[in-house]
Amino acid sequence: METSNQKTRVTVQAVIQAPVEKVWRYWSEPEHIAKWNQASETWHSPRVENDLRVGGKFLTRMEAKDGSMGFDFGGVYDVVKQHEQISYTLGDGRKVDITFVNQGNETKVVEIFDAESTHSIEMQQAGWQAIMDNFKRYSEVF
């Protein structure tokens, strides 16, 4: 975790037992995103749109399965380097940077995001890491 310009940057990461081409596809294709993009079993992503190109927009609708709450998670891509890097700006102006490190039959995914001020840093890191862990499980099983 590092702080710069009064923004706290938080890092989550995982090493996926899959080649970078598969990891990239599972990270960016809506039919895959919908299957892994939740922090717990009580949530899901019923709608996913993704235009993976510089200036392209993405939107993931995240909802509690019981319908009690939900929100849209979306933004605009700033950098897209296939199999290497994705950077985007969220609707509230926060930045997110993801790097994909090709390690042969495995891929290290490192995601660094600007924290928001509503929830604790620890809660945000735990939530984003839970989603990353779901991504790892999904990518290694399917």
Side-chain angles (χ1 to χ4, degrees):
M1 200 166 13
E2 63 185 64
T3 305
S4 61
N5 296 342
Q6 299 165 336
K7 286 196 182 198
T8 301
R9 307 263 305 152
V10 182
T11 302
V12 297
Q13 60 187 337
V15 175
I16 317 299
Q17 301 303 311
V20 71
E21 295 81 8
K22 177 182 179 183
V23 170
W24 181 270
R25 195 170 66 249
Y26 278 30
W27 188 273
S28 60
E29 293 179 358
E31 62 270 25
H32 292 298
I33 296 168
K35 295 187 172 101
W36 60 261
N37 196 16
Q38 60 272 338
S40 75
E41 289 297 315
T42 60
W43 282 73
H44 67 147
S45 296
R47 192 171 105 236
V48 179
E49 300 168 10
N50 195 24
D51 182 10
L52 186 62
R53 61 182 175 82
V54 173
K57 295 181 181 175
F58 68 92
L59 176 76
T60 301
R61 177 68 187 170
M62 302 177 93
E63 293 181 356
K65 288 182 180 175
D66 67 6
S68 63
M69 64 178 71
F71 62 93
D72 289 338
F73 183 83
V76 177
Y77 290 108
D78 303 312
V79 177
V80 177
K81 293 181 183 170
Q82 188 173 23
H83 302 160
E84 292 177 22
Q85 180 187 0
I86 296 172
S87 296
Y88 59 83
T89 302
L90 293 168
D92 63 7
R94 293 183 298 134
K95 302 281 189 182
V96 179
D97 300 298
I98 306 124
T99 54
F100 300 82
V101 182
N102 183 347
Q103 300 178 163
N105 288 330
E106 62 182 31
T107 305
K108 183 176 183 180
V109 180
V110 180
E111 186 171 27
I112 303 171
F113 64 94
D114 289 344
E116 42 91 352
S117 55
T118 308
H119 301 94
S120 73
I121 300 298
E122 295 74 20
M123 179 187 250
Q124 292 176 69
Q125 185 163 29
W128 286 58
Q129 186 65 55
I131 293 169
M132 178 72 77
D133 293 345
N134 274 348
F135 174 73
K136 175 180 170 63
R137 273 191 296 280
Y138 175 76
S139 299
E140 290 177 351
V141 171
F142 296 101

